[in-house]
Amino acid sequence: MLGKAEIPFPNIKHHGSLTGKGNMSLKRRREPISVDAQIVEIYEDLANENEEIRLKAAHALLTKVSSEKSPSLEALQKILKRLLRGLSSSRKAARLGFSVALTEFLREHCISDQIARPVLEVAAVINVLEEQTRASAGVSGQEERDHYLGRLFGSEAIIKSGILSLPEPSLAHWKRVLDLIFDLAKKKSWLREECGWVLCAALKDSHTINSTYVEVLFQRLDSAGLTKTPEGVGLWITAQQAYPDSKYPKHVWHHGNPLHRKEKASLARILKETSTNHDTDGKAKKTSQRGTWTSRLHFSWDIVFQALLKDHPKQLAFSDLWIEAVDNGLFAAASSDERKYWGFLLFQKHVQILPIASFGEILGPNFLRCMINQLASAERYLHRIAEKTLRTIHSRIDHDQQLASVVIGKLIAQGHANFDHITKTKTIEKLLSQANVESLGDIISIFCQLIDRPDARDDRGTSATRQLISDYLVSLVRSTSSPGEGDPAMTEYHRCMSAITTIFLKHAYFEVITDVNDVFRTPVTPVSCVSRDMFKSRLMSCLSHLIVKLDNSAYYPYEVVNTIRTYETQKDIYTPLMSLDEGSDVARMIRKGWKTVDKLHKDEQSADSAKIDYLRAFKLLYTLTILQVYNGDADAVSIIDELQSCIQALFASKSLIDFGKASETLVEIVLSLISKPSLLFKRLAQQVFSVCTSVVNANGLQSIIMVLETKETLSGQQAIFEQEDSAGDSDVVMSDVEEIDGGASPAEIAQSPNMSDAASTVDGQLQDDNSDAADDELAEFDAKLAQALGTRRLDEDLAAKEEDSSDENMDDEQMEALDEQLETVFRERKKLTSKKNEKKEAKETMVLFKSRVLELLEIYIKQQYLNHQALSIVLPIIKLVRATSNKQISEKACNLVRDYLKLYKLKDQLNGSVPPEKVKSLLQAVHKEAMEEGSNAHANACSQASLLLTKIYISNGGDLSDVVSQYAATQLIFLTESDCHLRTSFFSDWLNWCTSARKALAERSKVI
């Protein structure tokens, strides 16, 4: 700004008057303008996109014109115009920065504080606002839009500043501002929501307006025809909460409340922003909608539903309006994708804040149908927001786990049990894993009801539904962790797991006449034979998971067989599917089995700690064997008979040492269990074997080792398994079959970095032999086929006559003879293919069997590595590494030797008397085995076995010099004999061990 003393253009000299001739040649020059660089910078920063910079600029402006500096009225008016003009600027964040500065500017310079200083008049401020934001004729659409937004921001600043009510209320000024806002709302529908938001914020601030202002506001609102709009509803509810004693227009809502029960349809229609509303006379009238669709939810939705969460008499229930406006409105089948998008946004808002009691109310049928449709394909428009909605559900359940049962119950009730399959997600599985023990009961009850009475149209659909629900129950058993003994939740956990096993056994082994828990005795939907087999398999799967979750692994198997025995006595409700002659051997063995189980259960209650694990192990073995009898396994009856001898030995023995002789039979039973592909039998065998490792004698251990020495071929399988065993394997339920790697091919082993070049050569030869054999078989088949047809290959006889291969002159007898010859050829071909498949299956069976045997030996080594009998395992293990063609078997065997080496320390000593000569001879045998041609894995296993025997030999009285002499002799053979395939790593491992054990060996020699 220019001061009065400033002289324009001071550097220019003035000669004579302006009318003199000497000055006629001078042009008129512009007067200089003094620019305040600081104020320019402030205005620039007010438009900055950084909020912190904008606030600093506003503070600087207010400081510059603060009342303490007594700015002139002219300066204040100039700044007011500049701030109002800035509100109409679309540059960066100008409206935000200028509106904040304007609000604080008006609050300081429009309200008198009894100090003699210039004060801006409110009327003048409103006049300047109208003047600066008036869009002149002929401006572009963008400029017009900027002016309208500037007027709205200016009106908001005036209201927020409080100048309309301080120092004393002025209704005239309030009416003028309301007229400006409502005029914008009517003129530009796309500004209507923003206008409503400004007034709603004013209603929440009691310092800016009072109840009189509220009455004027609603008079203007009603006269503008905006009462029954989303903005009008939001304003009405907000005003009633803040100013309950104010007077509101009558005959608009029932009892003056838009949330009244009778206003449900009208309120839903308004919130959905349909174009037609109704006036007080019931006549339809048009209310313009928002100009363009926006992805942002209208602010009135939050106000309405927040109010409905507070119960009041005669007020709409939250669920009623949600169903009407959201589920049947926004998510209706005929709704557009834009409205459904709003529905998803509403759901995401409320899924995080709704109380548990109201959570299920927002899971309506239309919402679930829409979410399933959108999740089913990534091509759907709302696929991403549907995924986000699903994540919000899981996020809420992470904090309130009991809600998992509510969501699952809604999905099942709406017929969406196959939700995961349709949407290609694992939603229900994740919900089951999120559920806590308290909510498991409700989930299991829902699933059991659906199994009893599936909502399906035909038998195929019924079976499919039952299988789906059964898989969910198995998943629930697998994912739910046991709370632990002593935990208050353990009782509920037992109840839930028992309910799952009971629903399976009920339909697997019985025909349910009526449901005992059903008051009306409604017949249960018939169960097909396929479903019964499925229930058996799922029951076995559940038990395979449950026996490893508790310290008492026999708890659930005993409960299952005891429930079966109880149901057999309730013949008016449950009809047993397995009918046995009371005098048959099977019935006799089952009765004997029941007596034994009862005795085991009784003795378990009073047994000491040394014997209780054995009692539980046999109880587990007995109960699952009885269950296998009900599954139709013919071998189970013979196993019960064999178990009787073991049980008698256990009861008769005064100490566990006396039980060792019966352990041979127990080992045979364990081996028969792991020979089956069932995961349950594998875990059962491991549970029993882990308890009985201390009583396994040398003969029992040799039975296990014999499996490892058997070839992985058809002849090897036939040498171990009897014919009925292989037939019995087909009865094993498929869902409980353990999925393992059938083993790498010889080519895969050759490619492994742990395998030698020699092994690669041998495996390559095996592949070539197999390929050559296949080519020979194909050539033989072609020859037989050509002989039967009387044809030749083109490369054999190019000069063959056409009539030689023609069948035009063949009679009927010749054609019949030809058919017989072709049938013979193809029959032989089929037998050959079947034989190849049989060999392949035999190898897979042997690989699985050996893998499980190695797992048993791993258990034995961990518990009995100080037992002198464990030495008999070492040599067969390293021989297995060389003999096997399966990578998995080789790795497990190597790991077993390595674990044995880690467990045994130099300070340890074997239990029992072991002659050092025996260990020395075993060490010599290991060195001899190391000289054989094999893989890198075989060489490593031999080296580790040698170090293991070295430690055992020295710690049990052997002389270190004997070991050194043995390594020296082996090295001499390595240097002098060409057929020795020993690896240099064998000696480097020995030297490394000597370096690490040198101190311990020196101390040991001093003690000796």
Side-chain angles (χ1 to χ4, degrees):
M1 292 183 294
L2 296 176
K4 295 182 179 179
E6 292 180 350
I7 302 175
F9 303 99
N11 296 328
I12 299 177
K13 296 181 179 181
H14 297 269
H15 299 279
S17 65
L18 292 178
T19 58
K21 296 181 181 180
N23 294 329
M24 291 299 294
S25 62
L26 295 177
K27 295 183 179 179
R28 183 177 180 178
R29 299 183 181 275
R30 297 177 58 185
E31 295 182 359
I33 300 176
S34 178
V35 178
D36 191 339
Q38 184 182 4
I39 198 72
V40 172
E41 185 178 356
I42 289 175
Y43 289 143
E44 181 68 23
D45 288 344
L46 284 176
N48 197 287
E49 295 176 348
N50 189 318
E51 182 181 9
E52 185 177 354
I53 295 177
R54 293 199 304 269
L55 293 177
K56 287 182 178 180
H59 182 267
L61 177 64
L62 295 174
T63 302
K64 190 175 183 62
V65 295
S66 63
S67 56
E68 296 176 356
K69 295 183 178 182
S70 301
S72 64
L73 182 60
E74 181 184 358
L76 295 178
Q77 292 174 345
K78 186 174 182 179
I79 292 175
L80 174 64
K81 290 182 180 180
R82 181 64 184 91
L83 290 175
L84 290 173
R85 192 165 65 248
L87 295 177
S88 299
S89 173
S90 59
R91 181 171 58 93
K92 297 181 181 180
R95 292 191 182 93
L96 297 177
F98 279 84
S99 63
V100 170
L102 177 63
T103 302
E104 297 302 322
F105 177 79
L106 294 177
R107 183 173 290 142
E108 183 173 357
H109 296 287
C110 283
I111 301 175
S112 176
D113 53 3
Q114 307 301 326
I115 300 177
R117 62 182 179 87
V119 176
L120 295 172
E121 296 290 338
V122 176
V125 171
I126 299 176
N127 292 336
V128 175
L129 172 64
E130 291 181 348
E131 178 185 350
Q132 295 295 326
T133 59
R134 183 181 296 115
S136 59
V139 298
S140 64
Q142 179 61 40
E143 291 179 335
E144 183 183 28
R145 180 179 182 275
D146 291 339
H147 281 86
Y148 287 143
L149 287 173
R151 177 165 294 188
L152 179 60
F153 273 84
S155 301
E156 181 184 20
I158 291 174
I159 295 174
K160 284 184 176 181
S161 66
I163 63 175
L164 298 177
S165 57
L166 295 175
E168 58 183 17
S170 176
L171 290 178
H173 298 152
W174 172 243
K175 291 178 181 179
R176 286 189 63 187
V177 173
L178 289 179
D179 290 340
L180 291 177
I181 295 176
F182 285 129
D183 183 61
L184 287 175
K186 291 189 295 182
K187 184 180 296 185
K188 296 298 177 182
S189 58
W190 51 269
L191 270 178
R192 198 177 69 199
E193 181 182 354
E194 284 70 18
C195 294
W197 173 255
V198 170
L199 295 176
C200 192
L203 290 173
K204 295 177 181 179
D205 188 0
S206 59
H207 299 290
T208 57
I209 60 175
N210 53 34
S211 58
T212 306
Y213 281 51
V214 172
E215 295 174 3
V216 173
L217 187 154
F218 280 96
Q219 292 173 3
R220 287 290 196 272
L221 180 71
D222 190 40
S223 61
L226 298 176
T227 307
K228 288 196 171 184
T229 60
E231 297 75 23
V233 171
L235 289 171
W236 197 293
I237 296 173
T238 303
Q240 282 189 330
Q241 293 174 348
Y243 306 93
D245 298 330
S246 295
K247 297 180 181 179
Y248 298 95
K250 298 181 179 179
H251 310 297
V252 178
W253 308 102
H254 283 84
H255 300 284
N257 185 8
L259 300 180
H260 194 273
R261 296 173 184 173
K262 294 184 179 180
E263 296 291 352
K264 180 177 69 173
S266 176
L267 183 59
R269 186 169 56 249
I270 292 171
L271 289 175
K272 289 185 295 182
E273 298 188 60
T274 52
S275 58
T276 304
N277 291 314
H278 296 272
D279 58 13
T280 55
D281 299 330
K283 298 180 181 180
K285 66 177 182 179
K286 287 282 185 178
T287 302
S288 59
Q289 296 176 279
R290 285 192 283 188
T292 57
W293 180 83
T294 174
S295 60
R296 185 185 65 254
L297 268 178
H298 199 286
F299 69 90
S300 295
W301 285 103
D302 288 341
I303 295 175
V304 170
F305 281 116
Q306 287 292 335
L308 291 179
L309 288 175
K310 304 173 184 177
D311 293 333
H312 291 287
K314 296 183 180 182
Q315 180 175 283
L316 266 172
F318 178 91
S319 58
D320 291 340
L321 184 62
W322 184 274
I323 293 172
E324 181 73 19
V326 182
D327 201 63
N328 293 337
L330 299 181
F331 286 114
S335 291
S336 62
D337 289 334
E338 290 79 9
R339 290 186 182 273
K340 291 175 182 176
Y341 185 89
W342 285 344
F344 280 120
L345 291 180
L346 269 174
F347 185 91
Q348 291 175 16
K349 276 179 173 289
H350 290 86
V351 76
Q352 300 291 352
I353 61 174
L354 275 180
I356 296 175
S358 305
F359 189 82
E361 297 171 355
I362 62 176
L363 298 170
N366 288 328
F367 162 73
L368 293 176
R369 173 190 51 77
C370 180
M371 187 166 68
I372 289 174
N373 291 337
Q374 300 300 327
L375 288 172
S377 173
E379 303 297 325
R380 305 287 170 84
Y381 291 123
L382 303 179
H383 179 76
R384 293 180 63 183
I385 192 172
E387 287 183 324
K388 185 177 180 181
T389 302
L390 201 57
R391 289 194 296 269
T392 60
I393 295 176
H394 289 304
S395 176
R396 173 65 189 275
I397 296 177
D398 283 337
H399 295 89
D400 298 310
Q401 296 177 336
Q402 61 268 39
L403 291 176
S405 60
V406 177
V407 179
I408 292 176
K410 285 292 183 178
L411 290 174
I412 299 300
Q414 301 299 333
H416 301 308
N418 57 344
F419 184 91
D420 288 2
H421 176 72
I422 298 175
T423 60
K424 302 179 181 65
T425 63
K426 294 184 178 181
T427 302
I428 295 183
E429 285 191 21
K430 186 173 181 180
L431 290 172
L432 293 176
S433 65
Q434 290 178 296
N436 57 7
V437 177
E438 288 74 14
S439 63
L440 288 183
D442 297 332
I443 296 174
I444 294 170
S445 177
I446 294 168
F447 284 162
C448 290
Q449 291 176 11
L450 198 58
I451 287 178
D452 285 338
R453 298 175 182 82
D455 186 14
R457 298 180 180 178
D458 52 17
D459 294 340
R460 184 176 180 182
T462 298
S463 299
T465 300
R466 281 175 168 157
Q467 180 173 348
L468 179 66
I469 299 303
S470 298
D471 290 339
Y472 285 146
L473 288 173
V474 174
S475 177
L476 187 62
V477 172
R478 181 175 60 250
S479 61
T480 305
S481 301
S482 171
E485 297 296 338
D487 194 307
M490 195 64 188
T491 302
E492 182 66 18
Y493 177 81
H494 283 319
R495 189 184 70 82
C496 294
M497 297 299 107
S498 299
I500 294 175
T501 56
T502 300
I503 191 67
F504 285 151
L505 71 88
K506 179 174 70 172
H507 293 298
Y509 306 114
F510 299 93
E511 182 179 348
V512 184
I513 301 174
T514 56
D515 190 351
V516 70
N517 296 318
D518 190 356
V519 179
F520 301 100
R521 316 289 283 181
T522 307
V524 176
T525 306
V527 181
S528 64
C529 295
V530 175
S531 294
R532 293 193 193 281
D533 292 338
M534 182 270 299
F535 286 131
K536 292 178 183 178
S537 71
R538 300 307 185 269
L539 175 61
M540 304 303 281
S541 296
C542 289
L543 292 177
S544 68
H545 295 296
L546 289 173
I547 63 175
V548 297
K549 288 181 179 287
L550 301 179
D551 294 335
N552 183 5
S553 56
Y555 180 87
Y556 290 108
Y558 174 77
E559 189 177 64
V560 167
V561 295
N562 202 37
T563 304
I564 292 176
R565 182 166 51 170
T566 302
Y567 281 6
E568 285 179 336
T569 62
Q570 301 175 0
K571 295 186 178 180
D572 58 328
I573 301 175
Y574 305 104
T575 302
L577 297 175
M578 187 180 72
S579 57
L580 297 174
D581 186 2
E582 292 297 328
S584 64
D585 293 339
V586 176
R588 179 178 56 82
M589 292 304 300
I590 290 179
R591 287 196 298 271
K592 187 181 294 186
W594 286 127
K595 292 181 181 179
T596 306
V597 169
D598 291 339
K599 182 171 178 55
L600 288 169
H601 183 67
K602 182 179 179 181
D603 292 348
E604 179 190 348
Q605 310 304 320
S606 58
D608 56 8
S609 58
K611 211 170 185 178
I612 190 170
D613 289 337
Y614 289 88
L615 292 171
R616 287 177 175 177
F618 278 104
K619 180 180 172 184
L620 172 65
L621 192 54
Y622 242 110
T623 52
L624 289 179
T625 305
I626 292 175
L627 194 59
Q628 278 303 103
V629 175
Y630 281 92
N631 287 338
D633 189 353
D635 296 336
V637 179
S638 62
I639 293 178
I640 292 179
D641 195 16
E642 293 173 355
L643 280 173
Q644 284 297 123
S645 61
C646 298
I647 294 296
Q648 291 172 1
L650 178 64
F651 290 150
S653 61
K654 296 181 180 179
S655 65
L656 295 176
I657 300 176
D658 300 332
F659 179 67
K661 296 180 179 179
S663 67
E664 299 175 18
T665 304
L666 183 61
V667 169
E668 294 296 333
I669 294 174
V670 169
L671 290 176
S672 67
L673 290 174
I674 63 174
S675 66
K676 302 177 185 296
S678 170
L679 178 61
L680 174 61
F681 290 157
K682 170 191 170 182
R683 290 180 174 174
L684 167 61
Q686 291 177 352
Q687 289 276 348
V688 174
F689 188 76
S690 64
V691 173
C692 304
T693 53
S694 60
V695 297
V696 174
N697 58 19
N699 292 333
L701 202 57
Q702 188 59 37
S703 299
I704 298 175
I705 294 173
M706 186 181 65
V707 177
L708 302 179
E709 296 174 344
T710 307
K711 295 181 179 180
E712 299 166 5
T713 59
L714 180 60
S715 60
Q717 182 191 32
Q718 293 172 349
I720 292 184
F721 298 104
E722 296 179 355
Q723 196 65 28
E724 60 266 25
D725 293 334
S726 60
D729 288 343
S730 61
D731 295 333
V732 178
V733 290
M734 292 309 296
S735 74
D736 190 41
V737 172
E738 180 185 10
E739 296 181 1
I740 69 163
D741 182 8
S745 65
E748 291 173 336
I749 296 178
Q751 294 172 1
S752 174
N754 295 327
M755 302 301 166
S756 65
D757 296 336
S760 301
T761 304
V762 172
D763 293 337
Q765 290 175 355
L766 290 174
Q767 281 190 323
D768 294 339
D769 292 342
N770 292 336
S771 179
D772 294 340
D775 293 340
D776 293 341
E777 292 171 1
L778 183 59
E780 183 180 356
F781 174 71
D782 289 341
K784 291 181 179 180
L785 186 61
Q787 183 181 359
L789 295 174
T791 60
R792 300 183 182 87
R793 286 167 48 182
L794 292 177
D795 57 354
E796 290 180 353
D797 190 2
L798 296 175
K801 295 182 180 180
E802 184 178 353
E803 58 269 13
D804 291 341
S805 61
S806 174
D807 60 353
E808 292 180 357
N809 298 327
M810 296 178 66
D811 55 18
D812 293 342
E813 294 180 358
Q814 291 175 327
M815 291 292 291
E816 291 178 359
L818 178 61
D819 290 341
E820 293 178 359
Q821 292 178 3
L822 291 175
E823 288 179 3
T824 302
V825 172
F826 282 103
R827 193 181 303 115
E828 293 177 356
R829 177 66 175 174
K830 185 176 181 180
K831 289 181 180 179
L832 182 62
T833 305
S834 177
K835 191 70 173 178
K836 292 175 64 177
N837 292 334
E838 187 178 0
K839 291 180 179 179
K840 181 181 178 182
E841 292 175 359
K843 181 176 181 179
E844 293 175 352
T845 301
M846 288 302 300
V847 167
L848 174 63
F849 196 17
K850 286 187 177 183
S851 176
R852 292 186 171 184
V853 167
L854 287 172
E855 291 173 1
L856 290 183
L857 290 177
E858 183 182 357
I859 295 173
Y860 185 84
I861 290 298
K862 287 182 179 179
Q863 297 184 4
Q864 302 295 322
Y865 67 92
L866 295 179
N867 194 325
H868 68 279
Q869 293 180 162
L871 291 175
S872 60
I873 298 174
V874 177
L875 191 57
I877 289 295
I878 59 178
K879 287 184 176 181
L880 173 65
V881 177
R882 178 168 59 90
T884 185
S885 61
N886 184 270
K887 183 179 178 181
Q888 181 186 21
I889 298 297
S890 177
E891 290 178 351
K892 281 192 173 183
C894 292
N895 292 338
L896 184 60
V897 178
R898 185 178 65 250
D899 293 342
Y900 198 172
L901 177 62
K902 289 180 179 179
L903 288 170
Y904 196 91
K905 310 296 182 183
L906 266 176
K907 62 182 180 180
D908 294 330
Q909 193 170 3
L910 293 179
N911 299 329
S913 58
V914 182
E917 291 76 13
K918 180 180 179 181
V919 182
K920 184 178 179 180
S921 62
L922 186 56
L923 179 62
Q924 292 173 352
V926 169
H927 279 235
K928 185 177 179 180
E929 175 65 25
M931 298 177 190
E932 298 293 335
E933 184 177 9
S935 62
N936 286 336
H938 174 256
N940 292 335
C942 289
S943 178
Q944 291 175 342
S946 177
L947 296 176
L948 168 66
L949 294 173
T950 298
K951 290 199 292 185
I952 294 175
Y953 181 73
I954 296 172
S955 64
N956 287 273
D959 192 350
L960 177 61
S961 61
D962 295 336
V963 179
V964 175
S965 299
Q966 179 61 49
Y967 268 94
T970 302
Q971 188 172 14
L972 181 61
I973 296 174
F974 173 70
L975 295 172
T976 58
E977 297 184 11
S978 60
D979 59 345
C980 177
H981 299 283
L982 197 65
R983 305 297 178 88
T984 55
S985 60
F986 189 83
F987 301 106
S988 61
D989 291 343
W990 158 250
L991 293 175
N992 291 334
W993 179 83
C994 290
T995 303
S996 61
R998 180 181 178 185
K999 184 177 180 180
L1001 291 172
E1003 292 176 356
R1004 184 178 182 84
S1005 63
K1006 289 180 181 179
V1007 174
I1008 295 175

